[in-house]
Each structure stands twice: as structure tokens, then as C-alpha cells.
Amino acid sequence: MADPPPPTHAPPPRGVVLIGYRGSGKSTVGEALAERLGRPFIDTDADVRARFGGRDAAEVFADPSLGEKGFREVEAAAVAEAMAGAAAGAVVATGGGAVTESAAGRAAVTACPALCVYLHAEAAVLAARISADPHNRRPGLSAADADPAAEVAELLKRREPIYRAVADETVGVADLTPAEAVDAVVALLPR
Ligand SMILES: Nc1ncnc2c1ncn2[C@@H]1O[C@H](COP(=O)(O)OP(=O)(O)OP(=O)(O)O)[C@@H](O)[C@H]1O
Ligand SMILES: O=C(O)C1=C[C@@H](O)[C@@H](O)[C@H](O)C1
Ligand SMILES: [Mg+2]
């Protein structure tokens, strides 16, 4: 008997969602990964900024009528929309608090069939990358924000179990270049 005809609608390729602390390289690695895979790239921080008419996170946090709460509500909506893209094969870089500071954001990422990868590095590495980032406009996130390294250590301790619980896979990025981190994520994808 003849082979059945191939399906006319192949399933979408598996999308990728990157989660992790600020400075772990979600945006840098995500953009390069999307280019490597030939997929659309979505950065939820960029989408949130657009939803706030171009105001960045630091400005929104400092606005008394919005604050972190207002930021997180809009972020959760952007994350939900991004997960629809990831379900269709896109690569998504999330904001550092997208799954840790919002139950809705966490639920949207958890429910998404894309591969969720936690980019992990220890607090000292993250703090060094954040402070060296020429585009650093990240608002303080806690009472410890006068000492950025202490804030990273404190928050990472709380957030780390959440990142690990939400992720399907973890990639240690402390000793990797962005290109090596892309390779490590590609190696986790189905061939
Ligand atoms: N593997 C790496 N090695 C060295 N530096 C890196 C690496 N990945 C990212 N960086 C640098 O660290 C800084 C932060 O990277 P990036 O903005 O991609 O992090 P992020 O996880 O998206 O942070 P945020 O959550 O604030 O959006 C940038 O200056 C970037 O060039
Ligand atoms: O870790 C966080 O809570 C944040 C990380 C950034 O990606 C931005 O989403 C914002 O600065 C908050
Ligand atoms: Mg980013």
C-alpha cells in the first residue's frame, strides 16, 4: 500500500522561553538564538516598555501612580501574549521578575508548551554584569538596592527556587560567552 501523504500542516517548531535573573543574558542570548534558529524574537521587557509608551522600567517604578505593581500587571499581560508567540515557535526573553513577581506571569510560562530554559549564574557574576552593562537602567527592587551586589544576593536566594521550578532545563552561563550559551540551548532542542 502507498505511504500516506505527508501532513499539510506540520506542527510548529518548539519555541524557547528564557528565564532568569537580570544580567543572566536572556535578551543577549535570546536575540542571537532566534537569529540562529531563524525564528521571531520577542523580548517582554521591550513589549512592556512599548505598552508604557516608551517609558522604561525605572521610570514606571518611580511613578507613584504605577510603581512596581503597575509594572507587574502590564508585564503579566505582555508575558501572556509572548507565550502565544512561543507556542508558535518564537524565542522569548522574559524580564527578570516575570515568573517570580507575578503569579499570572508564572502561570502563563508554565502552561506554555515551549522549552523553558533558566539561565543560571551566581550572584557575584550577575552583579558584575549588571554594573558593567552600558545600558543599565534597571530600577532598584528592594530595600537592599543601595548595595547592588547585596540586592542581587538577597533576591536571587528567594527567586532561584522559582526559576528552577518553572524551567524545563537549566544552563549555567557564568563561564559561557553568549555564543556558547546559544550553543548550549540549541543542544537542548529536538533535532
Ligand atoms: N554570557 C555572557 N558573558 C558576558 N557578558 C554577558 C553575557 N550575557 C550577557 N552579558 C552582558 O550582561 C549584560 C546583561 O545582559 P542582558 O541584558 O542580555 O541580560 P538580561 O538577562 O536580559 O537582563 P534583564 O533581566 O535586566 O533584561 C549585557 O551588558 C550583556 O552584554
Ligand atoms: O528582575 C526584575 O525584577 C526586573 C528585570 C528586568 O528585566 C525588568 O523587567 C525590570 O527591570 C525588573
Ligand atoms: Mg533582558
Side-chain angles (χ1 to χ4, degrees), residues 48 52 55-75 101 139-141:
V48 171
F52 281 116
R55 298 168 77 197
D56 65 23
E59 287 174 79
V60 175
F61 273 47
D63 181 334
S65 70
L66 294 167
E68 179 171 358
K69 187 167 178 286
F71 180 89
R72 298 299 176 196
E73 282 168 14
V74 169
E75 180 178 47
E101 310 309 315
L141 293 168

Side-chain angles (χ1 to χ4, degrees), residues 116-137:
C116 180
V117 181
Y118 170 36
L119 300 185
H120 169 265
E122 53 269 34
V125 172
L126 297 168
R129 286 188 189 168
I130 293 167
S131 64
D133 185 350
H135 306 294
N136 190 9
R137 283 271 303 151

Side-chain angles (χ1 to χ4, degrees), residues 85-179:
V91 175
V92 176
T94 58
V99 300
T100 61
E101 310 309 315
S102 157
R106 184 159 59 250
V109 173
T110 303
C112 180
L115 180 75
C116 180
V117 181
Y118 170 36
L119 300 185
H120 169 265
E122 53 269 34
V125 172
L126 297 168
R129 286 188 189 168
I130 293 167
S131 64
D133 185 350
H135 306 294
N136 190 9
R137 283 271 303 151
R138 295 169 174 90
L141 293 168
S142 73
D145 70 349
D147 177 351
E151 181 180 84
V152 176
E154 178 186 305
L155 273 184
L156 188 62
K157 208 164 127 193
R158 175 170 69 74
R159 288 180 171 187
E160 172 102 38
I162 305 173
Y163 292 135
R164 288 192 184 274
V166 171
D168 299 305
E169 302 279 354
T170 295
V171 170
V173 291
D175 298 322
L176 302 183
T177 64

Side-chain angles (χ1 to χ4, degrees), residues 76-87:
V79 169
E81 190 177 294
M83 291 308 105

Side-chain angles (χ1 to χ4, degrees), residues 31-52:
E31 189 170 8
L33 176 66
E35 196 173 325
R36 171 92 71 88
L37 297 174
R39 308 270 188 85
F41 174 59
I42 300 167
D43 193 317
T44 64
D45 274 334
D47 290 353
V48 171
R49 189 177 173 141
R51 285 169 184 244
F52 281 116

